[in-house]
Amino acid sequence: MVNATVARNIAGICGNVISLFLFLSPIPTFITIYKKKKVEEYKADPYLATVLNCALWVFYGLPVVHPDSLLVITINATGLAIELFYLAMFFYFSPTTRKVKVGLWLIGEMVFVGIVATCTLLLFHTHNQRSSFVGILCVIFVSLMYIAPLTIMSKVIKTKSVKYMPFSLSLANFLNGGVWVIYALIKFDLFILIGNGLGTVSGLVQLILYACYYKTTPKDDGEEDEENVSKANSQLQLSGNHGQAKRVAA
């Protein structure tokens, strides 16, 4: 019979694999940016938000904060590296004004994470206290990240079209949240459970909307539609990455 530790590790490994898929989902967007040598109307916001999210979850998983969370660290550290690569490309192909904005936001995020780390280590002296402080911050930011997918789901309902909500990404979000929920329940972790519980519900709602509006979706194609889909993918990917640790998720 599989013991709890082995089951938890299996769930965490599965969560790492699915979360990695979500982190890599914006690749088509950056292939487009590379080919055109400019970012055009694409925004860096989803990637900046994910960088902060991953950095907080990496810190949450450290032994000094929340022991036995290696799989939370691995996926969020990987996600952090991937998102920084995306931002480096975005920065390179952006006009000067947008480069300044991206640079300032990154510096601000680094300062914020540094303040969180300093306060955690100096003001709290037990794993429970540190986990609670950092975990609450992680859940707050994860909750805010679900605003973007809500706008996409609202658009699906208004247009009766799932053109801007790809099935594969919605399914991955649902599976990602579900796997990390299982991970959090095996060795109870309230903060991972909340963040990924939200992800599971969000993914389920997306799948239900897909089932409801798939048949009414227009079958037209075009370059402009492809760009709009890429932007929508970025917003949906934003919610998926809590994995964690999103959350990543787990």
Side-chain angles (χ1 to χ4, degrees), residues 7 17 28 36 41 111 118 133 135 160 178 183 199 218 231:
V17 172
K36 294 186 175 182
E41 296 303 315
V111 171
T118 301
F133 176 66
K160 300 186 185 307
Y183 175 92
K231 294 172 186 177

Side-chain angles (χ1 to χ4, degrees), residues 64-67 124-134 191:
V64 293
V65 177
H66 196 79
F124 305 103
H125 305 292
T126 67
H127 288 142
N128 184 57
Q129 291 175 335
R130 292 174 175 176
S131 296
S132 296
F133 176 66
V134 180
F191 305 109

Side-chain angles (χ1 to χ4, degrees), residues 81-249:
I82 292 172
E83 298 298 325
L84 287 174
F85 174 76
Y86 291 154
L87 284 174
M89 280 194 65
F90 194 95
F91 185 89
Y92 184 79
F93 291 113
S94 293
T96 303
T97 54
R98 299 185 76 176
K99 286 181 178 179
V100 172
K101 178 182 177 181
V102 171
L104 290 176
W105 269 105
L106 274 177
I107 292 173
E109 291 181 354
M110 292 172 58
V111 171
F112 177 76
V113 173
I115 292 173
V116 170
T118 301
C119 291
T120 300
L121 298 177
L122 295 183
L123 301 180
F124 305 103
H125 305 292
T126 67
H127 288 142
N128 184 57
Q129 291 175 335
R130 292 174 175 176
S131 296
S132 296
F133 176 66
V134 180
I136 288 172
L137 290 176
C138 288
V139 168
I140 290 174
F141 281 100
V142 165
S143 300
L144 293 175
M145 290 175 71
Y146 281 105
I147 295 176
L150 285 176
T151 62
I152 297 299
M153 287 187 272
S154 175
K155 186 170 186 177
V156 169
I157 295 173
K158 290 179 180 178
T159 63
K160 300 186 185 307
S161 169
V162 296
K163 181 189 300 183
Y164 305 122
M165 191 178 72
F167 176 78
S168 59
L169 208 53
S170 297
L171 179 61
N173 278 327
F174 173 71
L175 294 176
N176 182 64
V179 168
W180 284 110
V181 163
I182 294 172
Y183 175 92
L185 288 174
I186 293 175
K187 183 178 179 181
F188 191 73
D189 188 313
L190 177 63
F191 305 109
I192 292 178
L193 179 62
I194 293 174
N196 290 279
L198 290 172
T200 303
V201 172
S202 175
L204 179 60
V205 172
Q206 290 172 33
L207 292 175
I208 292 174
L209 289 175
Y210 196 93
C212 292
Y213 295 111
Y214 173 74
K215 291 184 178 180
T216 60
T217 300
K219 302 301 181 181
D220 54 348
D221 293 315
E223 183 175 342
E224 182 177 351
D225 284 340
E226 291 179 2
E227 291 184 6
N228 288 332
V229 170
S230 293
K231 294 172 186 177
N233 285 350
S234 295
Q235 290 181 299
L236 289 175
Q237 180 260 352
L238 178 65
S239 72
N241 295 335
H242 317 302
Q244 301 113 1
K246 38 134 152 288
R247 258 178 179 358
V248 188

